[in-house]
Amino acid sequence: MKAAVMQGLHKPLAVEAVDDPAPEAGQVVLKVGRCGICGSDLHMTEDEAFGVSAGDILGHEFAGEVVEAASGVSALKPGDLVSVIPIRGCGQCESCKAGEPAWCSQMMLQGGGYAEFAATMEHQCVKLPDGLSLSDGAIIEPVAVALHGVNLSGLQRGDKVLVLGAGPIGLATAFWARHFGAGEVVVQDIADWQESRAMEMGASRFIVDKHDPVGAAERALGGKADIVFECVGVPGLIAQAVDQVRVKGTVLVLGLCTKPDSFVPFTALSKEVRIQTSAFFTVQEYQASLDVLEKGAAEPRTLVTDTIALGDVPMRFEALKQRTHDCKVLIKPGE
């Protein structure tokens, strides 16, 4: 099969012919239908902290068609369309049974979506109901990441919400905040490229002010935010979020930052600000994200700005390392 293969840190991906996946007991092989290019994928090729190396095949936001089932598979058969929960746990421990495979001692992040075929465990697959497409299946993961953050934030109806960053996670966070009844949802970014998309996703205002981001947000919200969602992962933004949130408010950190950062603890302490981090999602939140699409929510589909062939991945992947007008780019490996 063909796959976009990692060549090493700081090097472009390359499309190569590699061996087809051989399923182990309990696994299925999928013909990958769609796979999203995630911001964390971009980080993985630039930062050794993620532990990926030459020869690895990235891609954890994917959906496809079952083409082969190994021994021990009972609920899936060839022809089934599924979305893949990319967090692989043992399936037997208390964390896995509770729907939290991220905290399994054997947890690993499932990759392999940048290829024509991929093998995965049956228990990681969620069947796509009639009416949902493979593209829908590929955007469930980032939507679930945002849902997990909103759930951890303790958001209440009527809350004033500020979302820092208009990437896929930030926009999906705006969607869920509005879905759960936030009174105001302001999205703040350093460029206005995603303004119309943010408004479609549920934002009430979109602001850009590089010179006075704290004041701009306060003016847009009519006061300090009850909750600030940091969805960028750039040093300095946690400190900014602390300035932007009200007394006893919450800063919810979704941004993936692997660089050293700092803030003045007294600033947060003096307001009794709660700083909560968020990673991954639960199986229940993954299912809820699928359910909201099945029930007719069109907003998450707005995240997708382009669908490209596997051969276009190396060049587009490098381009996405710089800010572009794209939001979520999907790969269609069969083309």
Side-chain angles (χ1 to χ4, degrees), residues 35-334:
C35 182
I37 297 178
C38 178
S40 62
D41 295 338
L42 305 177
H43 284 294
M44 287 178 190
T45 64
E46 298 294 327
D47 195 321
E48 63 183 9
F50 294 95
V52 296
S53 58
D56 289 338
I57 301 172
L58 304 179
H60 58 272
E61 300 176 358
F62 68 99
E65 177 186 348
V66 177
V67 294
E68 184 180 355
S71 62
V73 174
S74 59
L76 295 176
K77 64 183 185 305
D80 287 340
L81 301 183
V82 301
S83 177
V84 176
I85 297 174
I87 304 171
R88 177 178 295 178
C90 70
Q92 302 298 321
C93 69
E94 291 303 312
S95 292
C96 287
K97 290 178 180 178
E100 297 184 302
W103 313 125
C104 173
S105 63
Q106 299 178 39
M107 187 278 274
M108 61 174 288
L109 186 65
Q110 164 89 52
Y114 291 7
E116 293 180 301
F117 299 94
T120 188
M121 298 300 296
E122 180 185 31
H123 66 255
Q124 291 176 245
C125 296
V126 179
K127 282 188 181 182
L128 292 177
D130 293 341
L132 291 192
S133 67
L134 290 169
S135 294
D136 293 331
I139 63 170
I140 293 171
E141 196 270 355
V143 175
V145 167
L147 174 58
H148 187 61
V150 172
N151 283 340
L152 286 176
S153 75
L155 183 144
Q156 301 293 314
R157 295 189 66 84
D159 276 350
K160 294 179 179 179
V161 168
L162 176 64
V163 179
L164 302 182
I169 299 300
L171 297 183
T173 298
F175 164 73
W176 284 117
R178 178 64 75 191
H179 182 80
F180 289 129
E184 294 289 337
V185 181
V186 173
V187 175
Q188 186 169 29
D189 203 278
I190 60 173
D192 62 4
W193 298 339
Q194 304 298 337
E195 181 173 3
S196 62
R197 184 165 287 105
M199 302 305 288
E200 289 183 65
M201 289 290 289
S204 49
R205 294 281 300 278
F206 188 97
I207 56 174
V208 176
D209 192 325
K210 296 180 182 179
H211 302 292
D212 184 20
V214 176
E218 190 165 349
R219 291 188 292 272
L221 285 165
K224 299 287 188 181
D226 295 301
I227 305 171
V228 180
F229 292 93
E230 194 284 282
C231 301
V232 182
V234 172
L237 279 186
I238 293 177
Q240 178 182 309
V242 169
D243 288 338
Q244 292 174 305
V245 77
R246 65 166 170 81
V247 170
K248 296 188 177 182
T250 295
V251 173
L252 194 292
V253 182
L254 277 160
L256 179 61
C257 183
T258 60
K259 299 177 181 178
D261 196 2
S262 64
F263 64 94
V264 179
F266 180 75
T267 306
L269 181 148
S270 65
K271 297 198 296 184
E272 291 192 351
V273 171
R274 180 172 75 107
I275 300 176
Q276 171 73 54
T277 60
S278 177
F280 305 114
F281 45 81
T282 66
V283 172
Q284 294 87 344
E285 288 163 339
Y286 200 90
Q287 184 66 53
S289 299
L290 184 152
D291 290 344
V292 80
L293 285 170
E294 185 183 13
K295 291 175 181 176
E299 294 91 340
R301 297 183 176 99
T302 307
L303 296 172
V304 179
T305 49
D306 201 2
T307 301
I308 63 174
L310 190 62
D312 296 327
V313 170
M315 183 176 296
R316 194 62 163 274
F317 191 91
E318 290 303 304
L320 289 170
K321 290 180 180 179
Q322 308 299 320
R323 291 205 65 182
T324 72
H325 286 75
D326 276 312
C327 187
K328 177 61 66 179
V329 175
L330 299 183
I331 303 166
K332 187 177 181 181

